[in-house]
């Protein structure tokens, strides 16, 4: 029989237990290989594309020829080669290592800087598909992919934007890459995608930001880029299918004072209290954990949370939630019920 202790929420492959911001495990995304559907191709290409996707005997020689075509003087040959390598890497995981070993990574990266939107999109997406193989991540980053991917995030088509976000996420699963990605200007662009992208773009941006913002300097960059407003808006919109993802991103941000201040300034407290009232069990637990973090060191924030009517839904959560949710609710209730005079010294958050 499953008990409450066995409940194990996950987001992007990371277990959700105590919302430990210092969790050293990699945050894996639900960003998969490209999801662009079928491609419009000329009839002369169709048979080769079909063979590229289905032939189990794709030879090293065939892959080497495609890699050679990436350096062709003909834009059409480059496009065809990039598209076929993209499909080979998408549909057959074993091809990802073959393609990398054949030397495709650097020429594909060079395509990402192309002014041709189609060529850039195929280059970005081929790199994304290759990055799904753990063995390729370090090679892709060391070959100089980060800055071109950030450029594609700024200048590419909507599909290139989304797939660049996913590729950056995959590279960020190597811990050393997180700072480099942040310092390459990716954070404001991902925040912009979170604000203005379509539903897939918002999801891809949130997964990438969740991974990147386990690093303190990236948290601050995200707050400075205005991440809090879209996060609060998405959490408030229960029809967005983004409540959980936005809350998880917020959970990694609020360990820094700048994020706590921005959350309060953007009206996040009433939204979190509403989630505790009407959200799912997982959403209630995340919201309680976030409120606990912002209230622990601030009498002012405790007062704001109490005035929003948080205590009744927290009492209900302490009686009917999961074991972890009950513990968080009980700790938060205890804080909110402390008399203000019991805290003689104001915390830095209150100054």
């Amino acid at each position: 029989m499953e008990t409450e202790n066995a409940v194990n929420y996950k987001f992007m492959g990371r277990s959700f237990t105590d919302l430990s911001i210092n969790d050293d495990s990699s945050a894996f995304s639900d960003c998969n290989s490209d999801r662009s559907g079928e491609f419009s191709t000329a009839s002369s290409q169709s048979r080769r594309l079909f063979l590229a996707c289905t032939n189990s005997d794709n030879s090293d020689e065939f892959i080497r020829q495609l890699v050679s075509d990436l350096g062709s003087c003909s834009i059409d040959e480059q496009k065809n080669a990039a598209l076929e390598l993209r499909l080979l890497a998408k549909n057959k995981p074993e091809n990802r290592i073959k393609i990398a070993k054949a030397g495709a990574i650097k020429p594909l990266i060079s395509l990402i800087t192309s002014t041709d939107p189609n060529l850039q999109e195929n280059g970005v997406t081929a790199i994304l598909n290759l990055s799904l193989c753990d063995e390729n991540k370090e090679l892709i980053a060391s070959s100089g992919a980060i800055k071109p991917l950030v450029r594609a995030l700024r200048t590419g088509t909507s599909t290139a934007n989304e797939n660049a976000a996913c590729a950056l996420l995959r590279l960020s699963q190597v811990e050393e890459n997180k700072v480099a990605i942040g310092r390459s200007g990716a954070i404001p662009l991902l925040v912009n995608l979170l604000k203005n992208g379509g539903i897939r773009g918002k999801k891809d941006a949130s997964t990438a930001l969740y991974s990147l913002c386990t690093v303190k300097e990236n948290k601050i960059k995200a707050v400075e880029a205005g991440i809090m407003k879209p996060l609060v808006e998405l959490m408030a919109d229960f029809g967005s299918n983004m409540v959980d993802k936005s809350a998880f991103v917020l959970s990694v941000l609020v360990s820094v004072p700048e994020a706590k201040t921005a959350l309060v300034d953007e009206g996040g407290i009433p939204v979190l209290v509403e989630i505790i009232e009407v959200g799912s069990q997982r959403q209630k637990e995340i919201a309680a954990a976030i409120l606990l973090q912002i209230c622990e060191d601030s009498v002012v924030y405790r007062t704001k949370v109490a005035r929003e009517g948080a205590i009744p839904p927290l009492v209900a959560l302490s009686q009917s939630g999961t074991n972890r949710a009950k513990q968080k609710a009980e700790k938060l209730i205890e804080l909110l019920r402390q008399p203000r005079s019991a805290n003689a010294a104001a915390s830095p958050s209150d100054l």
Side-chain angles (χ1 to χ4, degrees), residues 145-156:
I146 291 174
K147 288 185 178 180
L149 286 170
V150 171
R151 176 177 173 178
L153 200 55
R154 180 184 297 110
T155 65

Side-chain angles (χ1 to χ4, degrees), residues 12 27-29 31 164-173 207-208 211:
M12 292 179 263
F28 293 97
S29 169
C31 286
C166 281
L168 289 168
L169 165 79
R170 292 294 174 178
L171 298 184
S172 76
Q173 290 166 1
T207 56
S211 177

